[in-house]
Amino acid sequence: MTEDILISVRGLHTLDIEQEEEETDELEMTMPGKYYFRNGKHYVLFEETDEESQSVVKNRFKLSEDRLEISKKGAMNTTMTFQRGEKSSSWYGTPVGDVQLGIEVTDMQLMESDDEIEMNVAYALEMNSEHVSDSRIRLRIMERNKGLFRI
């Protein structure tokens, strides 16, 4: 895989509302980024712009067979760890305050080919020690110049 890539990040959250109803919240974004592979791990670097403040958030995703680490720096600040078979805790800093997150991975799959990497993670999400959603994240990384990227 070359250094210049496109990354698609798709998040799906099924929210618990009064334990009788469910609401689904979905977000997908695609942007250019940089890729490199070191010490058996895939690294993806990209920037996004916070819609409200128009400030830049620098992202670093570190992927391996049983772990995904997402670091954000800027208007949002966090390091979230998705580890197969473990529950993790982290702080998610926003311009309006910090939230404590709990992440418990229920399924994780990493698929690799010469010109594409895909990672799917299913997890339970807690905010301030309360379960708020069953969630999924899908990352798709593809060489930027291949012209094969599809959403």
Side-chain angles (χ1 to χ4, degrees):
M1 174 137 351
T2 62
E3 180 181 285
D4 291 322
I5 53 110
L6 288 175
I7 180 169
S8 169
V9 180
R10 181 178 184 201
L12 178 67
H13 304 281
T14 303
L15 308 171
D16 293 334
I17 301 173
E18 298 176 11
Q19 300 191 350
E20 293 179 15
E21 300 176 30
E22 288 185 348
E23 180 180 313
T24 301
D25 183 25
E26 186 173 358
L27 170 69
E28 186 165 4
M29 59 184 177
T30 301
M31 72 273 327
K34 298 290 183 190
Y35 167 83
Y36 61 96
F37 184 79
R38 282 207 186 103
N39 300 322
K41 293 175 180 56
H42 303 277
Y43 291 84
V44 176
L45 308 171
F46 65 95
E47 293 182 352
E48 62 182 304
T49 303
D50 179 62
E51 291 178 17
E52 290 183 22
S53 68
Q54 295 300 307
S55 60
V56 172
V57 178
K58 293 183 178 191
N59 294 274
R60 185 193 74 188
F61 289 9
K62 184 164 77 172
L63 298 77
S64 64
E65 188 69 32
D66 61 354
R67 182 180 174 103
L68 167 64
E69 185 179 293
I70 298 175
S71 296
K72 293 178 168 283
K73 297 198 183 316
M76 311 292 183
N77 288 292
T78 190
T79 298
M80 298 180 291
T81 303
F82 301 78
Q83 177 78 40
R84 186 189 316 271
E86 291 185 17
K87 185 175 182 179
S88 66
S89 180
S90 63
W91 287 95
Y92 196 99
T94 73
V96 295
D98 296 345
V99 177
Q100 183 182 17
L101 299 180
I103 298 167
E104 186 169 5
V105 173
T106 56
D107 188 33
M108 179 176 278
Q109 299 172 349
L110 178 66
M111 293 148 288
E112 304 172 64
S113 69
D114 289 341
D115 35 21
E116 184 175 0
I117 298 167
E118 183 172 328
M119 181 169 230
N120 293 291
V121 181
Y123 60 99
L125 179 65
E126 294 178 353
M127 287 182 148
N128 298 325
S129 301
E130 284 195 36
H131 181 268
V132 292
S133 71
D134 292 316
S135 302
R136 295 186 163 278
I137 186 169
R138 182 188 75 186
L139 307 175
R140 292 190 58 236
I141 304 153
M142 182 172 278
E143 292 183 20
R144 195 172 186 180
N145 296 329
K146 284 286 185 182
L148 301 173
F149 197 82
R150 63 195 183 288
I151 297 176

